[in-house]
Every structure is written in structure tokens, then in C-alpha cells.
Amino acid sequence: MRRWFIPGVALTLFLPMVSHAKIDLSGAVRNDAVFYGADEQTLFLNILENKLILQRSTKDWKFYSDLRFYLYYGEGVETPAGWPEELEYITASLPRAFVRYYSNIGDFTLGKTYVNFGIMGPFNIFELDPNVNFSDLNYTKEGVVAITYEAPLGDVSGVKAYVSPESRDTDMSAGASVYTNWGAFDVGLVTGRTGRDLNFAGVYFKGDAEVELQGACAIWADDAFAECHVKAIAGADYGLFDTQLLFSVQYLYNDCPVRPAAGGTSTTVLSTAVSTGFSDRHYLYASAAYTPDEFFRAGVDAFVNAADNSCLIVPAATWVLADGLNLTLLAAWPTGTGDTQFSKAAIGNYAALVRVEAAL
Amino acid sequence: MRHVITLSLLLYLLPAHSRAAETASDIIRKVDGNQVFSTETFKAKMVIAKDKRTLTKTFYGYGQKQDMKSFMEFTNPEDKGVKYLKLDDELWIYFPDADDVMKISGHMLRQGMMGSDISYEDMLENDSIEEKYDSRLLEDKQVDGRECYVVELQAKKPDVTYDKQVIVVDKVWYIPLEIELYARGGRLLKTMKQSEVQKLGERFVPMRITIRDMRRRNSQTVVTFEEIAFDGKVPAKVFTKGYLKR
């Protein structure tokens, strides 16, 4: 159990009680049945996730917490290091738990929060620990314990900053960003520093030039500027047939030193929380999505590591069965060989997932 | 005195179009005039239907006529906390899970809002009809027993969402009860019906709007306003990007 978890749960449960607040409760239950095709057998892993969101909003402050419980079951279970080998175990996480206070000089947030610099998407060069859940690209990203400050500089402009203390799992980090809307584009400047002797500064934009375009570029350097590296993304979205068919493409250039990629075990590629370092030099993300109406959508995502010529192809289809009740069928096929990032040796021959999700 | 009474009766009994030969421009100006307010607050329900299946979304929001600003927050369980901010012809969406704001632009604006038959482009339609369209009066018709003008609108410039519209305007309320929206090639893209008209102060307001996107088979979206008020107070700073995170 990570160090922040107990204080986080305490904050989640204690604060509403002492404030005698009228708490808004929402959430979801999600069950993922995952099948992994290894060389001679198929492994089964079931992940039952219970998401509870507690929230209270007033005109002066807001409390928000997102508490998750996971029940892992099946022969494909990979227990965390140090845990006994079992077919079933329960774990929990707290991706968000914060209090936000709206003062006259700006909004202060204290607690565990996602520091959202840059552009949402599969590759965000300003993320300190880039990660993606291949079975759900919109899956909640893990926050960091921090104090943040955000103040408007007009209706669509503002400045934000954060400081995150060092913990057992993360280094101390701090950053600041100023953003605005320029013509049809959102643009921003970002700078920051981590305790790893890493500093970064860059710019991002996202907007409309008939095609939706997005891009970002940052320089990462050590304190002495002895090592200086560039990270950049460029992407575009385009829709056909009145956007029922939507294409997206994004390229990541990563000049930073190669670090060992996280993940890469046979039963984690479609697990609830996958941490994959996009640590090679060239990556490409491409997707095609068909959404004829609110009741059905189908599409395919592809992650290409162009440095080692491996690729992960993820086709998926979702049916909305009723208000708040969804059924998703999804598969993942790695194409790489040998010890490449998206290889059969690292991930398995294939993975398939059946997901049922109900909103509370 | 007798002449005055006779004249009044005559005016009352004569068909409306005979009373005053209104031009298409006069009618459009009055339709635009119905939209005059400083602020609005509303609470609404949106039912998206396809065949026999339905999805229900609930939301509330604020609007400000000056500078074409609006804010909406969804309250149904699946979309709880999703917020929209529209400033003139720019649109941002706040996602509570990510605690982040995303700008919607380009082709993405043609997507249906929350999967409905209403596109983001429809939401961004700001300007008065008179500014964007040339109008032409067609033959009158009745809708649900009410006398209506029929006006054809042709876009003055190509940068509008719909090249042609045919609107059926109630002769008393000056509310379009039926609207047909066409693409440049003449294809019918959407139909809209406004009903359950209520008088709020000096203003007539349709409380139920039914939209059908003709490109989606057997699909329709019904928006029902449960509460609506004009020219009241809206929260300070609500029309700013920073407010989305609150």
C-alpha cells in the first residue's frame, strides 16, 4: 500500500463527516473479463472495479474524491511484488482526493490531483510519467499529491502552477503554465522541474484550421544544460460523413534517453491501470472511429513504436444497452518480434476483453 | 366612436395576412426580436431516441445574449459534471474525471452533442437570422390549427452551417413551430419542431423542441425545458474557462 493511501482515505471520509456536508455520491461498476493467449494456453483474468466519487461543491470551495476498489480474480492474476501467489486479491487506489478553495486571488487545490499541463491525448510531452490504458484511452490518470494555484487572466486566459513534494514513489516536482486562446487556437507555455535533475520548458497549441490540429514541443535539460533533449508531438483529427467516421493521428518525437519501458508482462496489457513508458525515439498513434449514433461505436486504435517496428492494434466495439449500461468487446494484437516493445513475447499472442460497465 | 369599433372588429375578423401585409424581413425581424434578453437560466431534459431505445440526459445552464456566452452542466449519472462553455463561436468541454478542459473545434464540431441530433455547430449558431440569410415569403400554412407564415431563408455567405432553411412561423407568437435545415446541395439535413409554447412575461417561449437528424436512421432528440427564466442573475465568472473547474 502506498504511503499516500491512508491519509487520502482519511481525507476522503473524515472531511465530509466533520463538515456535516451534503455529499454528492456517484460512481460506476466495471467488470473486465480478459483472456490472454499465451503459447500453449489461454489465461483468464477478471477485474472488477468499483468507482466511488464523493463530491461537494459550494460557491467558495469544492471537495472531490475518486476512490477505486479492484477485485482481481483468475489464473492470469499477477500479484504485486511481495504478495503471496494467489488467484484472487483486492486492492484500492485513490486517483483523486482534493479540496479546492476559490479565493479572490485565484483557486488553490490541495490534495491528490492530476496536474493537467499540455494537451489531453495519448502522448502528452509535459506528463512526468506518461502512461496509457490501452483498453480505455480516457481512463482516469493517476494524480499526484500537490498544491496547485490557478488564476484567470481573462475569460479564456490564465496562469497555473503546482508544487508536489517528494514521496517514496515520486520525486519532488514543480511547474507553471500560462495559457490563452489565440484566434481559433488554445495556446500555452509550460515550464517545470523535477527532483531528477530535469528541467523542461515548452509550448503547446490546439485548434481549428479546417482540420483540427494539435502540437507541442519541449526542451528537457539537466541543471547544467550538459544534456539537452527535445520532445515534440504533432497531430490532426479529421471527420468524414458528418464526423460519423473520425480519423486521428499523432506523432511523438522523444529525444530523451531511453529508459526501460514499464509494463511488458503477459497479463498487464489490458489491465485496468497500465503504465507504459513511451521511451523510444519515434511513436505514432492512429485511430479510426465509427459512431453512427449514441447507442453504438466501433473503432480501431494503433500504437506504433517506429524505433523498433512494433505495433499494438486495438479494435473495439461498444453498445449502449440502456441509460448508463455499456457493453464493450475489445482485443489487442501485438505485431512485434523478439524483444520489441509491442511483441508477442512481451504481451502474448493476443488479448481479448469483455467489459460491462454501469454508472451509479 | 362607432367607426372605431367597426374598424376594430374588421381588423379582428380579417385573416392575419390581410391585416398587415408583412414582408419576410418583417417576420424574421420579429422572430429575431423574440430572442432579446440579457440573461437566461434554464433546467432541461434531453431524450435521445433511436427506434425504441432511449437515453436521457439532464442539464442546467445559463446564457448571456451580449457576447453570445453560455454555460451548461450535465447532471445525469453517466455524464455528471461534464460542462460546456460557449464564448461566441468557440466551445470548450470540461471532463470531471480528467479535471481538464478540452477545446472542440474543426470537424469535431459536427458531432452530435452527447450523441444527440443537435450538433456542436448548432449550439454555436449565434447571429440573428436577418444578418445571415436572405428571406422570401412562401404560401401560408397551418400547424396544429395555428395560422403560420412560411419563410424560405437562403444563406448570404457560404460560411453558415445550413445553406437553406424553411421556417414556419406562428402569426401571433412569431415563434418558428417547424424548421427544415438544408445542405448546399439541397439535401434535407435536419427538421425541428417547437411546441408547448408558454408566455413568460412579454415573451413567448417553446418549452419542447424535437430535432431529427435525417442522416441518422429512426433517430430523434427531444429537449424539454423544465424551468426557464430570463433577465435574472447568473453566477459571477460563470462564462470563463476557470469556472469550468468549479
Side-chain angles (χ1 to χ4, degrees):
Chain A
M1 203 65 70
R2 294 179 179 179
R3 195 191 302 171
W4 48 258
F5 184 72
I6 292 170
V9 172
L11 183 68
T12 302
L13 301 176
F14 181 68
L15 194 69
M17 284 191 287
V18 295
S19 66
H20 303 286
K22 185 185 171 192
I23 295 298
D24 195 358
L25 173 67
S26 60
V29 171
R30 174 189 274 196
N31 191 85
D32 285 357
V34 192
F35 302 87
Y36 293 93
D39 282 342
E40 294 178 357
Q41 60 176 333
T42 298
L43 297 174
F44 170 69
L45 167 64
N46 195 81
I47 307 164
L48 181 62
E49 176 188 341
N50 193 341
K51 168 180 164 183
L52 286 175
I53 292 178
L54 299 169
Q55 184 177 358
R56 186 190 179 199
S57 294
T58 75
K59 70 179 179 58
D60 296 320
W61 62 278
K62 170 183 177 177
F63 162 80
Y64 183 96
S65 87
D66 180 346
L67 182 59
R68 311 281 175 109
F69 295 99
Y70 302 95
L71 170 63
Y72 290 83
Y73 178 83
E75 58 202 342
V77 165
E78 292 185 358
T79 49
W83 286 51
E85 289 283 325
E86 287 180 6
L87 289 179
E88 178 180 324
Y89 75 96
I90 294 175
T91 185
S93 82
L94 190 64
R96 308 270 193 280
F98 62 78
V99 176
R100 184 167 289 156
Y101 174 64
Y102 317 128
S103 77
N104 289 333
I105 57 166
D107 300 347
F108 292 90
T109 303
L110 176 65
K112 195 169 184 204
T113 181
Y114 178 60
V115 178
N116 46 3
F117 287 173
I119 309 165
M120 287 169 74
F123 308 129
N124 182 351
I125 59 172
F126 299 110
E127 266 185 337
L128 300 179
D129 290 301
N131 63 85
V132 63
N133 182 332
F134 292 112
S135 74
D136 182 356
L137 298 184
N138 296 317
Y139 192 75
T140 305
K141 295 203 172 193
E142 191 77 23
V144 294
V145 175
I147 180 164
T148 76
Y149 170 72
E150 185 160 357
L153 300 171
D155 287 356
V156 293
S157 305
V159 59
K160 53 188 176 184
Y162 85 100
V163 177
S164 176
E166 184 178 355
S167 72
R168 191 176 64 182
D169 302 314
T170 57
D171 298 306
M172 189 284 286
S173 63
S177 173
V178 58
Y179 59 88
T180 189
N181 181 249
W182 186 47
F185 285 84
D186 274 357
V187 295
L189 299 171
V190 181
T191 185
R193 171 183 169 75
T194 81
R196 303 171 192 161
D197 187 22
L198 266 180
N199 306 284
F200 61 91
V203 59
Y204 69 86
F205 68 89
K206 180 178 181 184
D208 172 24
E210 193 57 32
V211 176
E212 185 175 285
L213 299 172
Q214 65 242 213
C217 183
I219 293 172
W220 290 66
D222 62 2
D223 287 348
F225 272 79
E227 282 197 47
C228 205
H229 302 281
V230 173
K231 278 188 181 183
I233 58 164
D237 298 326
Y238 192 76
L240 291 174
F241 308 117
D242 299 302
T243 68
Q244 288 190 358
L245 187 58
L246 194 67
F247 296 99
S248 299
V249 63
Q250 198 171 85
Y251 166 72
L252 167 68
Y253 175 75
N254 176 26
D255 181 40
C256 289
V258 173
R259 287 177 287 146
T265 50
S266 62
T267 58
T268 55
V269 68
L270 291 186
S271 291
T272 304
V274 170
S275 180
T276 292
F278 293 112
S279 52
D280 270 330
R281 190 174 290 263
H282 304 284
Y283 284 91
L284 187 70
Y285 164 74
S287 83
Y290 173 60
T291 311
D293 52 52
E294 180 69 353
F295 296 89
F296 175 73
R297 58 184 176 273
V300 59
D301 295 322
F303 287 86
V304 180
N305 181 332
D308 67 12
N309 289 323
S310 67
C311 176
L312 184 69
I313 300 167
V314 186
T318 297
W319 290 265
V320 177
L321 304 176
D323 263 333
L325 182 65
N326 297 350
L327 169 69
T328 298
L329 301 180
L330 183 145
W333 276 288
T335 66
T337 56
D339 61 352
T340 55
Q341 183 173 4
F342 302 119
S343 68
K344 289 181 169 59
I347 292 172
N349 294 331
Y350 69 89
L353 176 150
V354 180
R355 169 174 296 152
V356 176
E357 185 170 33
L360 300 180
Chain B
M1 186 66 180
R2 197 180 62 188
H3 290 296
V4 174
I5 294 168
T6 308
L7 186 63
S8 299
L9 275 173
L10 202 62
L11 282 169
Y12 183 75
L13 293 171
L14 278 171
H17 64 269
S18 306
R19 262 185 266 152
E22 288 191 293
T23 65
S25 297
D26 294 336
I27 296 162
I28 295 308
R29 213 166 291 132
K30 287 181 178 176
V31 171
D32 279 339
N34 248 332
Q35 301 295 318
V36 176
F37 58 85
S38 58
T39 61
E40 65 174 335
T41 60
F42 57 87
K43 195 173 158 190
K45 181 172 78 172
M46 179 166 75
V47 179
I48 304 164
K50 183 175 170 64
D51 300 322
K52 289 179 180 173
R53 294 175 296 167
T54 59
L55 297 177
T56 303
K57 320 273 185 188
T58 53
F59 55 93
Y60 72 92
Y62 309 100
Q64 182 178 297
K65 190 70 178 173
Q66 189 187 6
D67 302 326
M68 307 295 180
K69 298 174 176 179
S70 68
F71 169 92
M72 276 168 59
E73 179 172 358
F74 283 82
T75 52
N76 56 297
E78 308 84 64
D79 310 299
K80 199 178 184 74
V82 173
K83 298 172 192 170
Y84 286 69
L85 173 68
K86 181 178 90 66
L87 301 177
D88 199 4
D89 55 356
E90 305 283 330
L91 182 69
W92 289 268
I93 302 181
Y94 170 77
F95 297 99
D97 275 3
D99 194 24
D100 207 354
V101 178
M102 180 187 265
K103 183 178 168 64
I104 301 294
S105 55
H107 274 62
M108 301 290 275
L109 290 171
R110 293 186 187 163
Q111 289 186 314
M113 178 186 67
M114 290 288 181
S116 72
D117 295 67
I118 308 162
S119 71
Y120 296 121
E121 271 184 333
D122 293 337
M123 287 179 65
L124 294 174
E125 281 293 317
N126 288 328
D127 302 327
S128 73
I129 300 170
E130 195 178 16
E131 279 176 31
K132 287 198 160 185
Y133 290 91
D134 291 319
S135 54
R136 183 167 73 96
L137 204 54
L138 304 180
E139 194 173 332
D140 292 358
K141 70 182 269 191
Q142 279 196 343
V143 174
D144 297 331
R146 296 193 64 86
E147 289 292 330
C148 295
Y149 297 112
V150 181
V151 182
E152 183 184 274
L153 304 169
Q154 187 65 50
K156 293 176 180 175
K157 293 180 180 174
D159 63 341
V160 293
T161 309
Y162 304 106
D163 186 60
K164 190 179 97 172
Q165 298 187 26
V166 176
I167 63 172
V168 180
V169 181
D170 188 283
K171 288 188 176 182
V172 176
W173 299 332
Y174 288 95
I175 296 282
L177 299 183
E178 292 180 356
I179 303 173
E180 291 177 347
L181 304 163
Y182 293 86
R184 190 162 302 142
R187 180 184 175 200
L188 178 61
L189 296 177
K190 289 183 185 178
T191 63
M192 194 187 300
K193 288 188 176 181
Q194 303 198 105
S195 56
E196 296 178 13
V197 176
Q198 287 186 12
K199 191 172 186 190
L200 300 176
E202 295 301 307
R203 186 180 288 109
F204 290 101
V205 181
M207 303 299 280
R208 180 185 168 96
I209 304 171
T210 305
I211 303 112
R212 288 190 65 198
D213 187 333
M214 308 309 282
R215 295 158 292 188
R216 301 158 64 137
R217 263 191 313 176
N218 303 326
S219 170
Q220 76 167 23
T221 298
V222 179
V223 178
T224 309
F225 289 95
E226 291 165 348
E227 293 171 18
I228 189 161
F230 295 97
D231 303 327
K233 272 191 176 180
V234 298
K237 299 178 185 172
V238 70
F239 302 115
T240 64
K241 234 171 123 179
Y243 193 89
L244 289 171
K245 284 191 165 187
R246 295 195 168 191

